[in-house]
C-alpha cells in the first residue's frame, strides 16, 4: 500500500521511543554490517548511524514514498526498496533491526528463523512489533468496517492479529539462538488535538481501509470510527487523550560458532 510519510511522522516522537528501548538492549560494540528492516523515513536508521558510525548501514523498506523521504535526509546511508517477506541480506549481518514493521509480514514462523540464520556468528536480531491489536483502537476498525454499507469492500482487507504471544517467539527462536530475550511494555501516550487516536492509526493500521473507499464513503467511515474511538478514549478535561499501547520486543543472538 502507498504510505504517507507526513501522516506517519505526526507522532514521530512516541513512535521512536520503543526503538530507543530496543536498541538499549543491543550490546554489540562495533558491528560492521547493519540492516534496518522497515526503515520507513529513516528515523531509526539514523540512530544506528549515530551509534555505529563505522558500520555499513542499509535501510530496507517496501515504500518508495518513505524511502524518498529517508534518502533526502540521510544520503550517506544505503536505501533499498524490497519486500520484507522475501528480502535477505546479501552479506551476513552483524545486526538486523526492525522497529514496528514485521507485523505487516505474514508467516513469522518462517521469517524470523530465516533472519536469525542470516546473521554472522554472534550477530543480533532486534525486533519490536505492536501487540495492541485487541485494544479498542484496533478492534473498532473491524466493527465499523463490518457494520456499514462499505462491508463488502472492507471485509476482505481485515486481518487477524498478526503478532503471536511472547512464548511463541521464544519457542521459535530459542533452539536456533545462543540467547533470546523477549519482553513486553505498554506505553501510555499522551496525545493532543482533535481525534488523536484516529490520526495515529490513520498513519498505519487504518490506512489500507481508507484507501479502498471513495471520498464520500471514506469520510462517512472515518466519522463513524472517530465517534466510537472517542467513547473508548475520552478526551480529558485538560484537552489531552491517553492512549495505552502495548509492544513486543525480541533480541536474539546467533551462536558465535566456537562450539563447532
Amino acid at each position: 500500500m502507498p504510505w504517507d510519510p507526513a501522516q506517519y511522522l505526526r507522532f514521530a516522537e512516541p513512535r521512536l521511543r520503543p526503538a530507543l528501548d530496543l536498541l538499549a538492549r543491543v550490546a554489540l560494540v562495533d558491528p560492521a554490517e547493519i540492516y534496518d528492516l522497515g526503515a520507513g523515513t529513516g528515523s531509526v536508521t539514523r540512530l544506528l548511524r549515530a551509534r555505529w558510525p563505522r558500520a555499513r548501514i542499509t535501510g530496507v523498506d517496501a515504500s518508495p514514498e518513505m524511502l524518498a523521504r529517508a534518502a533526502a535526509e540521510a544520503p550517506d546511508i544505503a536505501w533499498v526498496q524490497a519486500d520484507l517477506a522475501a528480502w535477505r541480506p546479501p552479506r551476513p549481518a552483524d545486526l538486523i533491526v526492525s522497529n514496528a514493521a514485521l507485523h505487516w509480514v505474514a508467516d513469522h514462523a518462517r521469517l524470523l528463523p530465516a533472519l536469525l540464520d542470516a546473521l554472522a556468528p554472534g550477530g543480533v536480531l532486534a525486533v519490536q512489533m505492536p501487540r495492541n491489536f485487541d485494544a479498542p483502537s484496533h478492534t473498532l476498525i473491524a466493527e465499523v468496517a463490518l457494520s456499514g454499507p462499505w462491508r463488502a469492500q472492507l471485509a476482505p482487507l481485515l486481518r487477524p492479529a498478526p503478532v503471536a504471544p511472547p512464548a511463541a517467539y521464544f519457542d521459535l527462536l530459542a533452539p536456533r539462538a545462543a540467547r533470546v530475550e523477549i519482553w513486553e511494555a505498554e506505553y501510555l501516550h499522551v496525545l493532543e488535538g482533535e481525534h488523536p487516536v484516529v490520526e495515529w492509526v490513520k498513519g498505519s493500521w487504518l490506512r489500507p481501509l481508507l484507501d479502498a473507499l471513495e471520498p464520500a464513503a471514506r469520510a462517512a467511515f472515518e466519522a463513524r470510527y472517530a465517534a466510537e474511538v472517542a467513547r473508548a478514549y475520552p478526551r480529558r478535561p485538560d484537552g489531552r487523550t491517553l492512549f495505552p499501547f502495548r509492544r513486543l520486543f525480541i533480541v536474539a543472538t546467533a551462536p558465535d560458532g566456537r562450539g563447532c
Side-chain angles (χ1 to χ4, degrees):
M1 69 177 184
W3 282 80
D4 181 351
Q7 181 69 36
Y8 189 84
L9 289 173
R10 288 188 62 176
F11 302 97
E13 183 176 349
R15 290 190 193 276
L16 191 61
R17 282 176 53 195
L20 296 172
D21 293 341
L22 178 68
L23 294 179
R25 305 293 271 270
V26 175
L28 295 173
V29 176
D30 192 23
E33 194 80 35
I34 299 176
Y35 296 90
D36 180 12
L37 304 190
T41 59
S43 299
V44 176
T45 327
R46 293 191 296 274
L47 291 177
L48 299 173
R49 164 63 71 216
R51 179 169 171 183
W52 292 292
R54 299 199 303 171
R56 177 161 50 186
I57 299 176
T58 303
V60 184
D61 202 277
S63 168
E65 297 87 359
M66 290 289 206
L67 289 174
R69 178 74 172 261
E73 297 198 19
D76 61 321
I77 293 173
W79 303 102
V80 174
Q81 184 179 353
D83 177 0
L84 299 186
W87 176 90
R88 297 295 178 270
R91 297 167 295 275
D94 297 299
L95 175 61
I96 297 176
V97 174
S98 183
N99 181 66
L102 296 187
H103 59 296
W104 291 103
V105 183
D107 197 4
H108 287 176
R110 178 194 59 82
L111 176 65
L112 269 69
L115 293 177
L116 184 65
D117 291 345
L119 295 172
V124 172
L125 173 65
V127 174
Q128 182 273 122
M129 295 182 286
R131 210 166 88 82
N132 205 46
F133 301 98
D134 59 352
S137 56
H138 290 65
T139 60
L140 287 171
I141 293 175
E143 291 181 21
V144 175
L146 296 175
S147 64
W150 40 69
R151 178 187 178 112
Q153 288 174 271
L154 300 185
L157 301 178
L158 297 176
R159 299 176 60 202
V163 180
Y169 294 102
F170 183 86
D171 292 340
L172 187 63
L173 296 174
R176 288 177 160 85
R179 182 169 182 261
V180 178
E181 184 179 9
I182 299 178
W183 72 98
E184 288 188 305
E186 184 171 271
Y187 296 81
L188 185 64
H189 298 306
V190 182
L191 307 181
E192 298 183 355
E194 291 290 330
H195 303 300
V197 175
V198 177
E199 294 301 319
W200 179 292
V201 294
K202 279 171 64 176
S204 55
W205 204 244
L206 190 60
R207 185 167 181 82
L209 281 73
L210 294 178
D211 286 348
L213 298 173
E214 295 298 324
R218 173 177 176 149
F221 174 88
E222 187 176 333
R224 186 179 300 183
Y225 173 69
E228 296 294 335
V229 167
R231 284 189 280 272
Y233 302 94
R235 198 172 184 183
R236 297 165 58 84
D238 63 4
R240 297 183 291 182
T241 301
L242 300 183
F243 183 35
F245 203 109
R246 183 172 47 161
R247 297 181 180 272
L248 173 74
F249 299 79
I250 302 169
V251 176
T253 304
D256 61 16
R258 287 179 292 183
C260 299

